[in-house]
Amino acid sequence: MDALTLQTTFLDLSTPHVADACLRLGITVRCAPPSMRAPWTGVHVVGRVQPARHVGSVDVFLEALGHAGPGDVLVVDNGGRTDEACVGDLVALEVARAGLGAILIWGLHRDTAQLRTIGLPILSLGAYPNGPERLDPHPADALAWARCGTHTVTADDVVLADDDGAVFLPAARAAEIAQVSTTIRDVERHQAARMLLGTTLREQTRFDDYLAARDRDAVTFRQHLRSLDAAIEE
């Protein structure tokens, strides 16, 4: 998918929808660490991953922009360090002017007030005033891959981020994941609407039938939900 297709396809899908879809499809669910959050609410961004491994200087970010396309998301691997901030306002402004969609940092940011004004979506492990005091060797493959928590991502991945965090998807299966995510979203919305009109979730999921099947046939609740095409968990 190109950037515009990604934006329109995932526009009304959340990270929980996508995570559930991956689970249903047998695709490994790769979520960013739960402490990775945006400094403000209302974030929703999707784009191809542009990885960059930070070693103490912003030059790797500037170099990455030469490889990135419109709507890409700069995924910064700073090893999850909490003793330095590796992205500030000038980098964010340059990334925004280059047409990228967001920055995800497995590490810390600074200049929070200025970042809020710039408006580029940012997810990080938090804010910290001091920048790097080190300069480590620059690996030849610094732009080939990046780690985010326990996961390694490349330009063959797509990332979706919102107020619940971020999830990485194989780009080759993005359309399939979006299709299943849409089905899950629509089922959940229908269930919620019925609950608001007075039909409980227990009634919708025929919970008494499930309890009987569990005791009789060792059926799991997930198996029962699948038989009803219902959604609440995968």
Side-chain angles (χ1 to χ4, degrees):
M1 293 186 186
D2 59 24
L4 181 58
T5 304
L6 278 173
Q7 291 289 336
T8 55
T9 301
F10 286 87
L11 179 64
D12 199 28
L13 295 173
S14 69
T15 51
H17 295 144
V18 167
D20 285 353
C22 287
L23 193 60
R24 183 171 295 185
L25 290 167
I27 298 171
T28 300
V29 182
R30 295 180 292 159
C31 295
S35 53
M36 184 177 287
R37 287 286 183 268
W40 53 85
T41 60
V43 167
H44 186 281
V45 64
V46 61
R48 183 177 66 96
V49 168
Q50 173 55 60
R53 302 207 311 276
H54 179 255
V55 294
S57 173
V58 300
D59 65 334
V60 69
F61 307 144
L62 303 181
E63 184 180 0
L65 297 181
H67 299 262
D72 287 357
V73 175
L74 183 64
V75 177
V76 175
D77 175 359
N78 201 31
R81 294 179 68 130
T82 57
D83 61 343
E84 63 181 30
C86 60
V87 171
D89 58 343
L90 295 182
V91 168
L93 188 57
E94 184 74 1
V95 170
R97 293 295 182 267
L100 277 69
I103 305 176
L104 267 66
I105 311 163
W106 189 35
L108 304 176
H109 73 271
R110 64 178 181 176
D111 304 321
T112 302
Q114 291 85 353
L115 294 179
R116 190 178 292 113
T117 299
I118 293 167
L120 181 75
I122 302 280
L123 276 78
S124 80
L125 298 178
Y128 191 74
N130 196 31
E133 299 180 12
R134 64 188 173 102
L135 186 57
D136 298 333
H138 184 98
D141 60 351
L143 301 180
W145 57 270
R147 284 183 300 270
C148 187
T150 59
H151 305 297
T152 299
V153 296
T154 72
D156 292 328
D157 291 308
V158 166
V159 59
L160 173 70
D162 58 19
D163 288 346
D164 283 316
V167 60
F168 300 100
L169 323 170
R173 301 192 68 178
E176 182 184 9
I177 293 169
Q179 184 177 22
V180 174
S181 300
T182 300
T183 299
I184 292 171
R185 178 203 65 194
D186 292 347
V187 169
E188 288 186 347
R189 286 181 175 177
H190 180 68
Q191 289 177 197
R194 291 186 65 193
M195 291 173 70
L196 291 172
L197 292 173
T199 304
T200 69
L201 188 60
R202 285 165 295 160
E203 291 171 326
Q204 291 184 51
T205 59
R206 291 162 50 185
F207 195 69
D208 289 340
D209 291 347
Y210 157 67
L211 292 177
R214 183 190 66 184
D215 294 341
R216 183 183 63 248
D217 303 319
V219 171
T220 69
F221 191 44
R222 292 179 184 179
Q223 291 172 328
H224 177 71
L225 290 173
R226 292 284 179 84
S227 72
L228 302 175
D229 287 329
I232 184 173
E233 67 180 25
E234 287 303 313

